[in-house]
Amino acid sequence: QVQLVESGGGLVQSGGSLRLSCTASGRTPSPYGLGWFRQAPGKERQFVAAVNWNGAITTYADSVKGRFTISRDNAKKTGHLQMTSLRPDDTAVYYCAARVETNPLGTPPRDSRAYPTWGQGTQVTVSS
């Protein structure tokens, strides 16, 4: 069974940057896609970004497009979310999630229900 561990969260000022990492361990499915989601207090979990099995296809929520970049390093079983120009409304717990890749040439899904494996989350707080 695969386990996901996020890291890299923290407190940053508005306009700053953070780089989140997601490291997979255990029996990782092959191939697999990765997604990042976030949940702010009192709000539903929302999609942030996703990448397909080889990193060639990505998709982003409109609210982060142009500011966040998702990537992955399959050799290291690690995914990353580079976040720049952070805003207070980016404050949330950020989760990475994995799914078996069933559509290697298609756009990764944005629906959290497509991702059966989740990390424990990492807090990102952006101060104004």
Side-chain angles (χ1 to χ4, degrees):
Q1 185 175 354
V2 60
Q3 292 86 39
L4 302 175
V5 178
E6 301 95 335
S7 60
L11 174 64
V12 63
Q13 289 188 331
S14 182
S17 300
L18 280 175
R19 188 189 194 211
L20 305 184
S21 296
C22 173
T23 302
S25 62
R27 293 189 62 183
T28 53
S30 180
Y32 64 97
L34 285 175
W36 285 93
F37 296 79
R38 66 186 182 186
Q39 187 166 18
K43 295 187 177 181
E44 293 186 353
R45 188 171 297 185
Q46 66 175 193
F47 169 78
V48 175
V51 62
N52 77 326
W53 69 281
N54 65 355
I57 304 174
T58 59
T59 185
Y60 297 90
D62 288 344
S63 59
V64 307
K65 196 173 296 183
R67 300 188 298 125
F68 291 10
T69 302
I70 188 171
S71 62
R72 63 185 297 163
D73 182 340
N74 285 346
K76 297 181 179 179
K77 294 187 177 181
T78 301
H80 300 286
L81 185 68
Q82 179 68 48
M83 306 186 294
T84 63
S85 302
L86 284 162
R87 310 182 304 219
D89 62 359
D90 292 318
T91 295
V93 177
Y94 283 71
Y95 299 89
C96 72
R99 58 180 181 84
V100 175
E101 183 63 83
T102 57
N103 185 16
L105 300 181
T107 301
R110 299 181 170 209
D111 190 336
S112 61
R113 293 170 297 181
Y115 297 81
T117 303
W118 292 77
Q120 82 290 347
T122 185
Q123 176 71 45
V124 171
T125 302
V126 184
S127 63
S128 57

